[in-house]
Amino acid sequence: MSTFTNSKKRFAASLAVVALISVGLTSIPVAANAAPVCATVGKVTSCGGATTDGAKYAIQVPSNFNGTLFLYSHGYRYVMDIPGYSTAAVLANPIPGPTSSDYSDMTTIGTLLEEGYAVAGSTFPVLGWNTKEAIKTNVELIGVVKKKFTKTKKVIAWGESLGGYITQALAEKYPKLIDASGLMCPALGNVAAELATAGDFLWGLKTLFEPKIKGRNYSAGIPGMVEAGTDLALLKALADKLKTSIGTELVTSAPSWPAGAPGAAVLGAIPVRSVLLYIGLMAGIPTRSAHFDGVSGPGADGSSTAFGFAAVGSPAFAILENGFNAAGLAVLGTYDLEKQSGGPFYDNTKTDYAKRVTVEKSVYNGALSGSTAIAGIQLALANAAFAPRWAADPLAAYNFSKQIKHTGKLNHPTVALTATEDAIVPEGNTQWLINKQKTAADKAKLLVLWNAPADAYTTFDATGTPVSSTPEANGTGHCNFTADQYLAVAHMLADAVDNGGKLDTGAFRDYVVATTDGISIEPRKGRMQKFYDK
Amino acid sequence: MMRFTRSKKGMIGSAIVAAAALAVSALPAQAASTETQGVTATQITLGISQPTNGPASYGYNKVAPAMDAYFKYVNANGGVNGRKIKLIVKNDGYKVTDAVNKTVELISRDKVFALVGSLGTANNIAVSNAVDLAGQGIPSLYVNSGFSGFANKSTYKTMFPLFPTYYMETKVLGEYIKKNFPGKKVGIIYQDDDFGDDALAGLKQAGVTPAASIPYASLSQSAATAATWVSKLKTADAEVVIMYGVTSAAAFALGTAYALGYKPQWIIDSVGGVSATLQLLGIQAPLLNGVITSSFLPASTDTTDEYIKLFQTINTKYNVAGTKFDDNVVTGMNTAMMTVAALKAAGKNLTRSGVIKAIETKGKTFPSASLAQPQFSTTSHVGYNGFWIGTYDATGTLKPETGKYKIYTTDSGSGAVKVSTWKRPAMPAKGLPK
């Protein structure tokens, strides 16, 4: 007798994980361009190999295999090794399912195996933005699994971040190959939407705070890598300066611009916290982050100190934390896709940044230091002499536009797991997919599990300084999910494929939601990415 | 080993049933029931998000308890079409993020039928967008803001502002200044956001050009910033000063000006000019002597007014023990009365769309303490449309300019300011909407 209670899952995981950690990461046999090489340890058969494009793969099948495979697509992997930002070499190992960020927690994979599901995943043949290549690898990998394990009848594709993008693209292009899709912290729609957020934020930082940032148009080869690495160092240093500035401003109530910031000459009377907040808002970066909740402040609840920090300090710190946590992807993603496109593709020459904050300038008016300050920032950013825009290379922009995009069509049951305060892939990606479902039949194919953080989670030390060394709050960060949350996706999809491709809308769904901490299916309207504000 | 499939559901059925009791608060709203969410055969659940503590709570923290007191009075008199009203109050501390969080809780966890009396322009804009009130068809009744944008029915389909707009208010005050202080130099201190921008536009429409126009960013008000305001006003020789901000800003302005010996003719808006709240913030009543302000409700001290008399009785019997009766209490009870009127007008088969339709089609005739008429219609969500003007005496009591209420009405556009001929109908029996 078994149920899917938390205690059961923990029990199952404790049995399976011990074996899987050693099997999953270090002992899967490798056989390039050949049939998979397999070994059975305990109740799990683990196979390794490589697809014809050279991607390494891992397949794990339990002895009680029920015929359903979970095909996993991992997220974006940086194209170069930069200490502190990128560990591409380490990440070349194939992972057959979601794990914790340090790969120490294999609970999700272990639980699925224990429940009788097979799991598989690959490295893909190339790093970086690789949708086209990943689809090809996944198609071949499905064939490998079906050939080796003929009991395989159903395929559930699922993936995280870029892996979500790959999964949706795979589902749209090969609807008959898979039976259901799981999209976790997914990028969706158009990669341009993601890169526009990065470009807008980098442009704003360069224009107002750090002119040495290159931000785009990186050189080819090693020089380009050096330029990107230099940008990352500049951004790290800038983050430290801005943190100091904001902290000082909250104490003195006077603007405190970092030395050398171009914005000081024209916006020096406006606090740095307000200007940074504006840049974040125009780029579409969430105002709640891993350690800043927008509601907490030092001192007693209801005190002026607590209120002031929550209202004007927390949003700025959240932009700082979210924006700079995404800096790695912003710089290295831009470098990667410029390389693929043949030059700079980002273009903000026609972007109306003022229009982008139509709502936000009302909502965050006080934190932005008022309408007069907002108008001043907008005037500065619209001044071509002070704030020259970045124009794309036409050919590169054309090439970039050929990156695979989604139509949003759902051919089978799809479950999305989306953090409302995702710093890197904003919830607007998922909202885009929601908006694409026009008919009742289409809407019935999509279930979105929203992962919102707790109302309050910012902590302060004895001096009243916010603490940022604690783990990221669930619902913030990027793909910062618990094993239970991943399993909620898996269980909803598994249920659907066993029941004629219909997502449950009754007691089963409600049970899964109610017994999984941190998720809900409340109808909500996610903030669309600013890219779509034409 | 069991699989996690539908066939297993029967086997885990008991677990689901058991968990359902625990999980009821997290269960999603069902599309079919959203129209009647929060309505049972015996109860209607409403929700309000507002500050109940913190620096922005002064005065406002009396509104929700006053609403609740009126609802209790109604419940004691049979309820609304046989249903009792339950009001759930959430403290958002007047923080935007918390306002969104608390509203989500009210809708998804507490399953309220409608929001009522939610406070603040920025907070209501944030909530409307983040929670998608219009898309979900959730009524937001009588928001506590005079932002003219909320009357835009195409953007805020389910929202009904009650107060006359800030734009209307400065149009009225502007005309008053032109008539009563001709030739005087005018200064204005205003909150530099939608609230103040609305007011500035109204003043411009009235044809008043300030000699000094001083914006302050919301949340920046302090004694130090108030000193800079006074300095600028003095430099401009402003003789008549409009203070268009929240009460904390008005308190800093009055207190600092007094300390610095600056004595213009103060005119404070209806938001910031509430005597009881200013006194809570440290402005002694004598300092208010001669300060002009505007209102659309009868003064809480006017015991000749039948609504005020009723509200005083309800306050004594049903409000939190010891609650001092003031203008904030009147605001809360009037909002509650308008709510009851809407719920009754929507009929026994209460639905969200039904209550919206009831306000649009019948809201103009709902009983209310207001001395200006509600303007709700199928094409407009504008609430009240006028103000009377009064002057505080040395006890902090607001006296109408000519000894009795003269209502000036206008719109949020270029329409003229006129003296209203509308007469408020007699209060329904026992103050219970029919």
Side-chain angles (χ1 to χ4, degrees):
Chain A
M1 177 62 188
S2 170
T3 68
F4 52 93
T5 59
N6 286 342
S7 60
K8 173 62 181 172
K9 280 189 282 187
R10 281 194 291 273
F11 173 67
S14 68
L15 290 177
V17 168
V18 174
L20 292 174
I21 290 176
S22 59
V23 174
L25 290 179
T26 62
S27 302
I28 292 177
V30 174
N33 301 329
V37 174
C38 303
T40 300
V41 177
K43 295 179 178 178
V44 176
T45 298
S46 298
C47 305
T51 49
T52 54
D53 54 16
K56 296 179 190 174
Y57 62 74
I59 304 165
Q60 293 185 301
V61 181
S63 57
N64 61 331
F65 182 37
N66 57 36
T68 296
L69 165 71
F70 278 88
L71 173 70
Y72 176 71
S73 293
H74 67 65
Y76 190 86
R77 301 291 187 254
Y78 297 136
V79 294
M80 66 177 97
D81 278 335
I82 294 179
Y85 286 94
S86 168
T87 52
V90 172
L91 295 171
N93 291 309
I95 305 295
T99 73
S100 59
S101 59
D102 64 357
Y103 305 102
S104 64
D105 183 353
M106 306 289 271
T107 303
T108 305
I109 297 170
T111 303
L112 291 176
L113 288 167
E114 192 269 350
E115 290 178 346
Y117 300 102
V119 296
S122 80
T123 60
F124 302 133
V126 293
L127 299 169
W129 195 265
N130 56 8
T131 314
K132 185 178 173 185
E133 295 85 354
I135 290 173
K136 183 173 178 297
T137 303
N138 276 341
V139 170
E140 185 175 343
L141 182 53
I142 291 170
V144 169
V145 175
K146 285 186 171 178
K147 185 176 179 182
K148 178 70 180 174
F149 299 95
T150 55
K151 195 178 173 184
T152 306
K153 300 298 180 196
K154 303 283 186 182
V155 177
I156 296 172
W158 65 339
E160 296 182 86
S161 193
L162 166 61
Y165 198 94
I166 292 166
T167 298
Q168 176 63 20
L170 175 69
E172 289 185 9
K173 189 168 184 182
Y174 297 103
K176 292 181 180 174
L177 265 187
I178 58 178
D179 301 283
S181 296
L183 312 172
M184 290 89 76
C185 41
L188 291 166
N190 187 342
V191 63
E194 280 297 301
L195 272 292
T197 298
D200 294 333
F201 191 61
L202 291 174
W203 177 80
L205 293 178
K206 176 183 174 70
T207 300
L208 295 172
F209 293 117
E210 180 47 272
K212 293 178 190 164
I213 293 170
K214 189 168 174 62
R216 57 158 223 155
N217 200 15
Y218 296 109
S219 303
I222 299 297
M225 290 187 176
V226 172
E227 290 164 0
T230 302
D231 268 0
L232 291 175
L234 287 168
L235 286 164
K236 174 72 170 63
L238 178 59
D240 291 341
K241 289 180 191 173
L242 294 176
K243 185 177 176 184
T244 300
S245 290
I246 296 169
T248 302
E249 288 176 348
L250 292 176
V251 173
T252 66
S253 298
S256 176
W257 282 72
V266 291
L267 302 172
I270 302 171
V272 163
R273 60 174 172 75
S274 298
V275 177
L276 178 66
L277 176 60
Y278 186 93
I279 294 172
L281 292 172
M282 77 181 195
I285 294 172
T287 51
R288 303 183 81 197
S289 69
H291 299 96
F292 296 95
D293 58 24
V295 303
S296 303
D301 180 37
S303 67
S304 294
T305 307
F307 176 75
F309 182 89
V312 306
S314 192
F317 277 125
I319 293 292
L320 188 69
E321 185 169 44
N322 281 336
F324 286 88
N325 280 348
L329 182 66
V331 170
L332 297 177
T334 300
Y335 167 80
D336 165 28
L337 283 158
E338 283 189 347
K339 192 173 138 192
Q340 292 189 37
S341 305
F345 56 83
Y346 169 81
D347 192 317
N348 68 348
T349 55
K350 294 184 174 61
T351 303
D352 184 348
Y353 286 117
K355 188 178 175 186
R356 284 188 171 187
V357 295
T358 302
V359 170
E360 290 87 343
K361 76 176 182 182
S362 293
V363 172
Y364 294 99
N365 190 284
L368 289 166
S369 294
S371 298
T372 304
I374 294 167
I377 298 169
Q378 292 176 337
L379 199 61
L381 293 181
N383 181 339
F386 173 73
R389 299 295 178 96
W390 287 348
D393 172 77
L395 182 58
Y398 173 77
N399 291 336
F400 181 66
S401 72
K402 296 300 177 188
Q403 287 282 346
I404 291 175
K405 302 182 191 69
H406 298 146
T407 65
K409 179 174 173 53
L410 299 180
N411 296 300
H412 48 236
T414 301
V415 176
L417 174 61
T418 299
T420 60
E421 312 298 337
D422 190 316
I424 293 176
V425 180
E427 62 176 345
N429 284 271
T430 298
Q431 188 60 45
W432 176 88
L433 188 63
I434 294 169
N435 292 349
K436 286 292 178 184
Q437 312 314 311
K438 303 296 185 188
T439 68
D442 288 338
K443 289 175 183 174
K445 293 174 188 166
L446 178 63
L447 172 67
V448 177
L449 303 176
W450 295 107
N451 170 216
D455 285 359
Y457 51 84
T458 304
T459 57
F460 301 86
D461 65 18
T463 68
T465 303
V467 176
S468 57
S469 58
T470 51
E472 293 183 331
N474 188 236
T476 71
H478 182 49
C479 306
N480 179 29
F481 302 125
T482 65
D484 282 354
Q485 290 163 350
Y486 286 121
L487 287 167
V489 175
H491 289 153
M492 286 303 302
L493 292 170
D495 179 77
V497 299
D498 285 338
N499 291 282
K502 290 183 180 175
L503 283 166
D504 190 282
T505 58
F508 178 69
R509 177 199 62 182
D510 294 346
Y511 181 86
V512 170
V513 172
T515 56
T516 306
D517 286 344
I519 63 171
S520 70
I521 55 172
E522 294 154 355
R524 72 190 306 280
K525 186 177 170 186
R527 293 153 292 192
M528 285 298 286
Q529 288 177 278
K530 295 298 182 183
F531 170 81
Y532 297 107
D533 287 351
K534 299 296 185 187
Chain B
M1 193 141 318
M2 300 302 296
R3 284 195 57 205
F4 186 64
T5 65
R6 188 179 292 271
S7 61
K8 187 180 162 194
K9 284 183 195 170
M11 303 177 72
I12 62 170
S14 58
I16 290 177
V17 171
L22 296 172
V24 66
S25 64
L27 292 181
Q30 302 300 305
S33 65
T34 54
E35 271 283 320
T36 56
Q37 176 177 301
V39 180
T40 69
T42 57
Q43 183 171 285
I44 303 165
T45 306
L46 305 174
I48 178 172
S49 172
Q50 62 148 77
T52 61
N53 72 352
S57 68
Y58 293 105
Y60 295 124
N61 55 9
K62 298 181 78 172
V63 173
M67 290 169 62
D68 197 41
Y70 181 81
F71 290 144
K72 284 175 178 164
Y73 170 73
V74 170
N75 291 344
N77 284 277
V80 175
N81 295 323
R83 298 183 176 101
K84 303 289 174 67
I85 297 177
K86 178 184 176 185
L87 179 68
I88 299 176
V89 182
K90 298 281 184 184
N91 176 24
D92 62 29
Y94 203 60
K95 292 172 280 192
V96 165
T97 301
D98 243 353
V100 172
N101 292 343
K102 301 306 182 193
T103 303
V104 168
E105 281 180 24
L106 285 169
I107 294 167
S108 299
R109 190 176 304 172
D110 301 313
K111 305 288 184 191
V112 300
F113 172 70
L115 306 170
V116 57
S118 301
L119 176 68
T121 301
N123 288 3
N124 273 299
I125 292 174
V127 165
S128 183
N129 280 275
V131 185
D132 191 19
L133 297 177
Q136 294 191 67
I138 300 168
S140 182
L141 308 182
Y142 314 138
V143 293
N144 195 331
S145 166
F147 173 51
S148 61
F150 288 143
N152 183 343
K153 192 184 166 187
S154 63
T155 303
Y156 300 101
K157 293 176 184 171
T158 61
M159 184 180 284
F160 292 88
L162 186 58
F163 301 168
T165 68
Y166 304 132
Y167 188 102
M168 291 177 188
E169 184 169 27
T170 43
K171 267 175 78 178
V172 168
L173 291 173
E175 292 294 338
Y176 181 85
I177 289 168
K178 286 196 297 185
K179 182 179 174 186
N180 293 278
F181 304 104
K184 301 278 189 185
K185 285 189 175 180
V186 176
I188 181 169
I189 305 164
Y190 67 98
Q191 188 161 300
D192 193 14
D193 60 4
D194 292 319
F195 170 35
D197 292 346
D198 229 13
L200 211 58
L203 195 64
K204 183 179 179 183
Q205 181 62 36
V208 174
T209 304
S213 189
I214 304 167
Y216 74 92
S218 173
L219 314 174
S220 71
Q221 59 268 35
S222 66
T225 50
T228 68
W229 304 341
V230 170
S231 174
K232 289 174 183 173
L233 291 166
K234 277 183 168 179
T235 302
D237 290 329
E239 300 160 281
V240 177
V241 176
I242 303 169
M243 176 67 229
Y244 214 93
V246 294
T247 41
S248 59
F252 280 125
L254 288 176
T256 304
Y258 177 78
L260 296 175
Y262 177 55
K263 297 177 181 174
Q265 171 60 58
W266 287 101
I267 300 177
I268 307 179
D269 66 284
S270 56
V271 173
V274 179
S275 171
T277 310
L278 286 166
Q279 291 184 59
L280 279 173
L281 290 166
I283 300 299
Q284 299 299 310
L287 207 56
L288 291 172
N289 192 17
V291 171
I292 294 168
T293 190
S294 52
S295 181
F296 51 92
L297 292 166
S300 58
T301 49
D302 182 1
T303 52
T304 66
D305 187 282
E306 59 182 339
Y307 282 89
I308 296 297
K309 281 195 286 190
L310 172 72
F311 290 166
Q312 282 180 326
T313 304
I314 294 172
N315 185 63
T316 302
K317 187 169 182 182
Y318 293 98
N319 208 343
V320 178
T323 298
K324 185 179 177 185
F325 188 78
D326 62 19
D327 293 326
N328 295 303
V329 173
V330 174
T331 297
M333 291 195 185
N334 183 63
T335 300
M337 179 182 277
M338 287 288 284
T339 302
V340 169
L343 296 172
K344 276 200 172 175
K348 180 75 176 173
N349 297 320
L350 184 61
T351 62
R352 285 174 165 172
S353 55
V355 82
I356 289 169
K357 185 179 178 185
I359 298 173
E360 289 181 339
T361 56
K362 303 172 186 171
K364 217 167 185 172
T365 60
F366 287 168
S368 158
S370 173
L371 298 158
Q373 187 183 18
Q375 299 296 305
F376 302 120
S377 73
T378 54
T379 57
S380 171
H381 283 190
V382 172
Y384 303 132
N385 70 338
F387 292 90
W388 59 272
I389 294 173
T391 304
Y392 282 117
D393 66 17
T395 68
T397 302
L398 190 62
K399 303 287 189 184
E401 55 175 323
T402 54
K404 61 179 185 179
Y405 303 119
K406 182 198 285 186
I407 301 296
Y408 300 93
T409 66
T410 189
D411 59 18
S412 295
S414 57
V417 174
K418 298 175 182 173
V419 175
S420 174
T421 56
W422 180 75
K423 297 291 183 191
R424 187 183 70 185
M427 187 174 76
K430 299 175 71 178
L432 298 168
K434 294 173 183 172

